[in-house]
Amino acid sequence: MSVRLEDVSTETLAAQDAIFADALSLGRAGGDVADREQAFERLLPVLQIFAPSRDGAPYLHCGHASTTGELFGRDFALDLVGRPGLAHEEFERAVQGAYKSVHLSGKPVSQRVSAVIEVHGVRRLVSYYRLVFPINFGSNRVAGCLTRFSDASRATSLRTLSREQ
């Protein structure tokens, strides 16, 4: 498996989808949920939240409209809470480094991610933009991850999925 991580500017992300601008605004405000509760709640359907540690980065939340929720389904996204991510070790190793980096540094990471992953037994090329940014619940920092498909990837992945279901 090959996972491609390409750094992009936050301006590029905001141009891809306005929801990135909302997340960046939360991050610039320190990422404190208590100070920006409404903004945080608007992000929840598309947001993934991770609790990075030495043992990995289990999900605290996986929004039903996140790329994971869109690809694998709402029930799958809900079932991820408390567990590490997708069941592909190489993909996980490649993408979770950003969660740990943001957790420790408090500095956001903006990237385009491309990989071939297995979705319901079918291999698919998936490409998406992501912003990994710090979120603070009081004195506890976690890593928020906002992902949105690049237009071509989203159309192909979701069209293929709908034909199979």
Side-chain angles (χ1 to χ4, degrees):
M1 165 184 256
S2 175
V3 179
R4 183 173 178 216
L5 301 171
E6 174 189 356
D7 291 335
V8 298
S9 70
T10 54
E11 292 81 14
T12 297
L13 291 183
Q16 292 300 314
D17 193 313
I19 197 79
F20 284 117
D22 294 343
L24 287 163
S25 175
L26 177 67
R28 279 191 295 275
D32 194 339
V33 172
D35 292 341
R36 307 276 312 232
E37 194 171 323
Q38 288 181 336
F40 177 71
E41 287 179 8
R42 282 194 304 274
L43 293 174
L44 281 175
V46 294
L47 190 61
Q48 299 170 68
I49 302 173
F50 297 92
S53 71
R54 280 180 281 149
D55 301 326
Y59 279 88
L60 294 179
H61 171 79
C62 186
H64 68 276
S66 67
T67 53
T68 300
E70 287 187 39
L71 276 175
F72 293 95
R74 176 178 283 223
D75 291 341
F76 183 88
L78 291 173
D79 194 41
L80 286 173
V81 174
R83 300 183 330 170
L86 303 177
H88 195 287
E89 190 175 327
E90 185 179 348
F91 181 77
E92 272 306 301
R93 271 195 318 269
V95 299
Q96 76 174 235
Y99 311 143
K100 292 178 182 182
S101 169
V102 167
H103 178 72
L104 294 173
S105 73
K107 296 179 183 173
V109 171
S110 52
Q111 299 175 317
R112 182 171 182 172
V113 178
S114 302
V116 174
I117 61 174
E118 191 169 304
V119 179
H120 300 298
V122 177
R123 291 173 47 88
R124 289 193 172 72
L125 173 61
V126 176
S127 179
Y128 59 88
Y129 292 92
R130 78 172 178 169
L131 174 66
V132 182
F133 61 102
I135 297 175
N136 299 309
F137 295 102
S139 62
N140 297 311
R141 180 184 293 155
V142 296
C145 183
L146 178 62
T147 58
R148 304 311 298 150
F149 287 113
S150 62
D151 291 336
S153 178
R154 182 174 200 274
T156 301
S157 295
L158 295 180
R159 186 172 44 251
T160 303
L161 256 182
S162 63
R163 275 193 302 234
E164 293 172 355
Q165 293 177 345

